[in-house]
Amino acid sequence: MNANANRHSLADATHGTPHEPLSIALGVATTPAWVETVLAEFDTFLIDHAACERKAAAVATSMICHYPDRAQLVADMADLAAEEMSHFRQVIKLIHARGIQLTPDTKDPYVNALRKHVRHGKQEYLLDRLLIAGLVEARGTERFALIGEHCEESTLRQFYHQLAVSEARHQRLFVDLALRYVPDQIVAERLRDLQSIEAEIVTSLPLRAALH
């Protein structure tokens, strides 16, 4: 298969075209019931959201530690870690303004389920970490946008709209890094597999006032 065919395969996997920024397509949409659950218990959601932002920064720094010899990845993950911590700080301000506080971390069943599908092998491990991180960001893009659309408070609507824009940029970053280090066709095929896995996980999990 030639290079152009590879690009078309990847575009199909990401619902893009060879001339558009690549973006991960979710295999299943979040249900309206999730939005209702979150808005009904928004304080609980905010605490989970803060934890997710902090963990996202930790993922980025972990990638730096694991791949110090990959200059572009290190630079991109350093920027990402700083941005995620900035989001964490913003959510903390919202939490404190509402008179609540952080609670001890709980396990994220969605992320843990995805991580079970990370394969061994130097290339496979790198690719799966990047694409799973991209899928998590893609789901965050969708769900932050839903909160921005349905939340009644104007300040929160604007905040979550901005976060959705950031998450969309982050998911493209992870795909671009995957393409930098792994052949296009391999990225496309694995992305299709992981999109299906992610959709099954989302469908199987119970609703809760949490990002995932």
Side-chain angles (χ1 to χ4, degrees):
M1 185 175 288
N2 61 32
N4 287 335
N6 284 350
R7 289 293 181 185
H8 280 288
S9 295
L10 182 61
D12 291 341
T14 57
H15 285 194
T17 73
H19 305 290
E20 296 174 351
L22 299 176
S23 180
I24 295 173
L26 296 172
V28 64
T30 292
T31 65
W34 175 86
V35 181
E36 295 172 4
T37 300
V38 166
L39 295 182
E41 303 177 55
F42 202 71
D43 286 355
T44 301
F45 171 79
L46 279 175
I47 292 170
D48 175 79
H49 179 188
C52 288
E53 297 290 358
R54 182 181 53 75
K55 291 174 183 177
V59 168
T61 55
S62 173
M63 294 286 286
I64 293 171
C65 293
H66 202 92
Y67 300 104
D69 57 329
R70 298 180 186 267
Q72 189 62 53
L73 183 149
V74 169
D76 288 344
M77 291 298 102
D79 289 343
L80 180 61
E83 186 175 355
E84 300 288 18
M85 284 305 296
S86 175
H87 293 166
F88 173 72
R89 185 170 61 248
Q90 290 175 284
V91 180
I92 288 297
K93 289 180 179 179
L94 290 175
I95 287 172
H96 290 166
R98 296 168 77 94
I100 56 177
Q101 60 186 13
L102 295 179
T103 60
D105 280 351
T106 58
K107 293 182 179 180
D108 188 325
Y110 167 82
V111 172
N112 287 344
L114 280 171
R115 285 177 177 169
K116 291 179 180 178
H117 295 276
V118 175
R119 298 167 297 171
H120 298 292
K122 185 175 181 180
Q123 177 174 274
E124 291 84 358
Y125 184 74
L126 172 61
L127 178 59
D128 286 358
R129 288 194 70 182
L130 289 170
L131 292 184
I132 285 174
L135 279 163
V136 172
E137 297 285 351
R139 185 60 65 181
T141 301
E142 180 213 31
R143 291 190 166 181
F144 286 152
L146 286 171
I147 295 173
E149 179 182 352
H150 293 284
C151 187
E152 294 183 358
E153 189 175 331
S154 61
T155 301
L156 290 176
R157 285 201 305 270
Q158 182 178 4
F159 177 60
Y160 279 98
H161 171 72
Q162 291 172 345
L163 284 183
V165 173
S166 295
E167 298 288 287
R169 178 164 39 81
H170 298 167
Q171 63 171 299
R172 289 193 295 271
L173 169 63
F174 282 111
V175 173
D176 289 346
L177 283 172
L179 291 170
R180 172 178 287 271
Y181 298 118
V182 180
D184 292 7
Q185 185 61 25
I186 295 175
V187 175
E189 292 173 356
R190 185 56 176 163
L191 180 54
R192 281 192 289 268
D193 291 342
L194 290 172
Q195 284 170 172
S196 297
I197 290 167
E198 194 270 351
E200 292 175 2
I201 291 170
V202 167
T203 302
S204 67
L205 290 174
L207 290 175
R208 62 194 192 110
L211 183 57
H212 306 125

